[in-house]
Amino acid sequence: MDTTLNLTSEEGLVAQLRAQDQRAMTLLYRNYSAALYGVILRIVKQEEVAEDVLQESFVKIWTAFPTYDEQKGRLFTWMLNISRNLAIDKIRSKQYRVSSRTQPMENTVTSHMVSSEGIKPDHIGLQEMTDKLNPDQKVIIDLMYFNGFTQSEVAEELNIPLGTVKTRARMAIKFLSKLIK
């Protein structure tokens, strides 16, 4: 067996990967991990999660490499699609949605955007206004507007019918609009 790596071209790298040469996989990681990580991070928005997805991506690239067809596209494009799909699967997973809801406010993308613009709900008195709502309405408004839940997610979280969530949210917004005027 030839012990030299033919990695001067993409074809050589692909050939070495098909031969399951771990040195080629190491080189592949060194050359492409930063670019793939950047794409993954833009999707999942959390560094720790992006690192996990990157690791999953390279495991899948290694195990699925026999299915790679260079006639259908370049190696990087194939790897990018695997990484992007795993990142999308991650943010669609229930575990991700639950964990992203329970993060402290300072770790959320929304709070970074809000703080960078200098506008916070407590600066305009919105938090104090919601304190005037009845408890059933307040919890729904807090979940929807301060924690980013959808109405369906609120219904699931509070174990109440979706119609009840919509009615309480509508009544709360009506009440708050009167306070703002």
Side-chain angles (χ1 to χ4, degrees), residues 11 38 40 47 97 111 140 142 146:
E11 293 82 23
I40 293 166
E47 290 181 9
R97 288 193 319 260
S111 68
I140 289 171
D142 285 348
F146 297 116

Side-chain angles (χ1 to χ4, degrees), residues 58-73:
F58 273 96
V59 168
K60 186 162 186 175
I61 289 165
W62 178 253
T63 59
F65 201 81
T67 66
Y68 169 64
D69 183 358
E70 53 268 10
Q71 302 300 318
K72 291 183 179 179

Side-chain angles (χ1 to χ4, degrees), residues 35 62 67 71 76 98 124-125 137 139 173 176:
W62 178 253
T67 66
Q71 302 300 318
F76 179 73
V98 168
I124 60 173
Q137 293 173 343
V139 71
I173 291 170
L176 290 172

Side-chain angles (χ1 to χ4, degrees), residues 123-141:
H123 287 174
I124 60 173
L126 193 56
Q127 197 73 50
E128 290 83 18
M129 286 184 213
T130 61
D131 289 341
K132 295 177 182 174
L133 293 170
N134 76 42
D136 290 338
Q137 293 173 343
K138 182 176 177 4
V139 71
I140 289 171
I141 295 300

Side-chain angles (χ1 to χ4, degrees), residues 125-126 129-130 132-133 137 169-181:
L126 193 56
M129 286 184 213
T130 61
K132 295 177 182 174
L133 293 170
Q137 293 173 343
R170 189 171 37 255
M171 298 295 286
I173 291 170
K174 200 174 194 180
F175 177 79
L176 290 172
S177 69
K178 289 178 184 175
L179 290 178
I180 292 172
K181 289 182 181 176

Side-chain angles (χ1 to χ4, degrees), residues 110-111 113-124:
T110 308
S111 68
M113 290 181 350
V114 169
S115 63
S116 69
E117 294 170 10
I119 299 172
K120 295 183 180 177
D122 55 327
H123 287 174
I124 60 173

